[in-house]
Amino acid sequence: MVSSSAAIRRTAGRSEGETRTRDLPDAVRVLLNGAVLVLLWNHLWFKDLSDRSSLAAAEGGSPVTQALFLAAGVGMALAVWRIGLRHLRPLATPSLALCALWLGATSLLSVDPMLSLRRLTLFAIAALLSAGVLVVARSPRQLALTLAGSAGVILVTCYLAVALVPDLAVHSAFDVNADPDHAGLWRGTFPHKNDASAAMVILIVVGLYVAAVANRWLGWAVILLAAGFLVASGSKTALLLLPVVLAVTTLCRLFTGGAMRSLLLVGPVVAFTVVSVGSVLVPSIGDALGGVMRDTTFTGRTQIWEFAIDNILVRPWRGWGIGAFWMTERTMYAGSEELTWVNTAIHSHNAYLDTALIGGLPFLVLTLAAFVIAPLRDLQRVAGGRGLDAETLLFLRLWFLGLASASFETVLYNGNSATCCMFMMAVFGLRLRTRYAVAAE
């Protein structure tokens, strides 16, 4: 992790001269991490939503995306190798290893193995980049300043895009695969307003970290610019989740007991899941919600969830394979003569359902163990019985944001998602903190 880089070098027993030969200049560290963060936050700039080709099956992937991730992956791999691969050793946990093995096996058993292996490669590179940023950063302050610079690139280009090329930065009635109600909502350089809003929530969290670790004015500049764009994006989910994330993680600073923190962090996620997918699985929950909520369809997502659940039951033990279900010819055209909006959905709007679609119900269990239970345990090992330092709080906020978002968006095992990449970084960061927290202090 960020401070683990310095901590490892202090505890590895290497001579000062040998350490210098394995070091990377600060300029290289900042430029590499800055480029990687911008790539993870947004790599599909200025997408033309009036292009009808976006309605076609997307099995081939984007050559530009593949080239960018491959280049970044090679650069990060070389940097981590130069600094020392041993820095990533704490991430070799049984739970993460089992997830990786199951994901690889189900990719080979996918309904389209070649497609799944390509998507698996993209996700693996995204995971490497998310972990590598923590190793390459020399210190918390350097990470904070790099985050601020990358956030500035995203924010400035988004605002300039709205001002100079609104036809490519604002939703319009000519968007072929978007809700007509989205017209006028800002998306900046992002392919959709939901992508933009998710990134803005991340940038607000980043701004709080920058303000605490590096520079208060710089941090608050990031926060205010990101908040303004978030409001203009009109994303109800992001606007709902942001105060929940900030409130829950703030309470975790006050309550230091493991049981209380676990309840604070897991309780809202369970509640979101019950309100969303639970209303489809259990009719009585849907009826109860109908009595207190004006609209229980979640913008029509209940139909997508029903479609996803039906197809999970078709292959409950091994799933369909990563990237081999949504937006494929099999899903869009097989079994129906009429192309419906449900068939053309790009995901199920629920990460837990999509996890089961990828690798079956066993993979969902493994995912919960690796990405929910293990980070809770790591958090308590790092800060059990005491308050949260700025670094741990950053990872906690990003991790909880991913968990909460997962009830409404697909943010797990999706290398194209900024929330997924920051969620993985948070999981890795909490794990690395258990190894280097004492030395870092």
Side-chain angles (χ1 to χ4, degrees), residues 20 23 30 102 109 123 136 174 182 191 272 288 298 356 422 434 439:
R20 282 199 300 267
D23 197 10
V30 171
W102 193 277
L109 298 174
F123 174 73
V136 170
F174 298 103
H182 292 169
F272 286 145
F298 301 94
M422 293 301 100
T434 65

Side-chain angles (χ1 to χ4, degrees), residues 4-361:
S4 74
S5 181
I8 294 170
R9 286 194 296 275
R10 288 200 300 270
T11 59
R14 303 173 66 89
S15 68
E16 184 177 350
E18 187 179 2
T19 297
R20 282 199 300 267
T21 63
R22 299 284 290 178
D23 197 10
L24 282 177
D26 283 339
V28 174
R29 292 172 182 263
V30 171
L31 288 175
L32 175 60
N33 273 354
V36 165
L37 287 167
V38 171
L39 176 66
L40 295 181
W41 288 340
N42 183 26
H43 56 271
L44 296 173
W45 291 44
F46 297 109
K47 184 175 181 180
D48 184 4
L49 296 185
S50 65
D51 185 358
R52 297 190 64 82
S53 65
S54 61
L55 294 173
E59 298 183 15
S62 168
V64 174
T65 297
Q66 295 167 1
L68 287 173
F69 271 81
L70 182 60
V74 170
M76 183 61 75
L78 291 174
V80 173
W81 175 81
R82 176 73 179 177
I83 296 171
L85 291 174
R86 68 191 183 283
H87 296 185
L88 295 178
R89 194 172 300 155
L91 301 183
T93 63
S95 57
L96 288 174
L98 283 174
C99 274
L101 289 173
W102 193 277
L103 189 58
T106 53
S107 296
L108 294 173
L109 298 174
S110 166
V111 294
D112 190 338
M114 293 306 298
L115 174 59
S116 289
L117 289 173
R118 289 200 303 271
R119 300 293 170 82
L120 177 60
T121 300
L122 174 65
F123 174 73
I125 293 174
L128 169 64
L129 296 175
S130 300
V133 166
L134 304 177
V135 172
V136 170
R138 190 183 295 278
S139 67
R141 179 178 173 81
Q142 186 182 91
L143 176 65
L145 292 175
T146 306
L147 286 166
S150 302
V153 171
I154 295 292
L155 289 167
V156 169
T157 53
C158 279
Y159 275 102
L160 286 177
V162 171
L164 301 178
V165 284
D167 54 318
L168 294 177
V170 179
H171 281 288
S172 74
F174 298 103
D175 296 349
V176 296
N177 199 21
D179 193 312
D181 293 338
H182 292 169
L185 299 179
W186 291 9
R187 60 185 179 93
T189 60
F190 291 84
H192 193 275
K193 60 104 176 175
N194 287 346
D195 299 305
S197 62
M200 294 305 143
V201 173
I202 291 171
L203 295 189
I204 290 172
V205 172
V206 163
L208 291 170
Y209 176 68
V210 172
V213 172
N215 185 285
R216 180 182 303 175
W217 299 108
L218 182 60
W220 277 100
V222 171
I223 293 168
L224 293 175
L225 288 172
F229 206 96
L230 172 61
V231 172
S233 73
S235 175
K236 298 177 182 178
T237 301
L239 289 168
L240 166 68
L241 288 179
L242 178 61
V244 173
V245 170
L246 297 181
V248 168
T249 54
T250 298
L251 288 174
C252 285
R253 303 183 71 178
L254 302 176
F255 297 96
T256 59
M260 189 62 186
R261 279 179 175 169
S262 297
L263 180 62
L264 284 169
L265 294 166
V266 176
V269 177
V270 173
F272 286 145
T273 302
V274 170
V275 169
S276 56
V277 177
S279 64
V280 175
L281 291 173
V282 184
S284 58
I285 294 178
D287 294 339
L289 290 174
V292 296
M293 295 176 62
R294 183 173 300 178
D295 177 19
T296 60
T297 65
F298 301 94
T299 319
R301 291 179 184 178
T302 53
Q303 294 175 269
I304 302 178
W305 294 334
E306 291 171 353
F307 182 69
I309 292 170
D310 289 341
N311 282 279
I312 289 171
L313 297 178
V314 174
R315 295 170 65 94
W317 301 112
R318 57 180 178 176
W320 295 80
I322 184 170
F325 186 74
W326 299 107
M327 289 299 289
T328 62
E329 291 186 357
R330 179 178 295 98
T331 304
M332 296 177 68
Y333 308 123
S336 175
E337 296 181 357
E338 182 180 358
L339 184 65
T340 68
W341 70 275
V342 172
N343 295 90
T344 59
I346 59 176
H347 51 71
S348 68
H349 288 282
N350 185 282
Y352 305 112
L353 291 181
D354 274 327
T355 298
L357 282 169
I358 288 172
L361 297 175

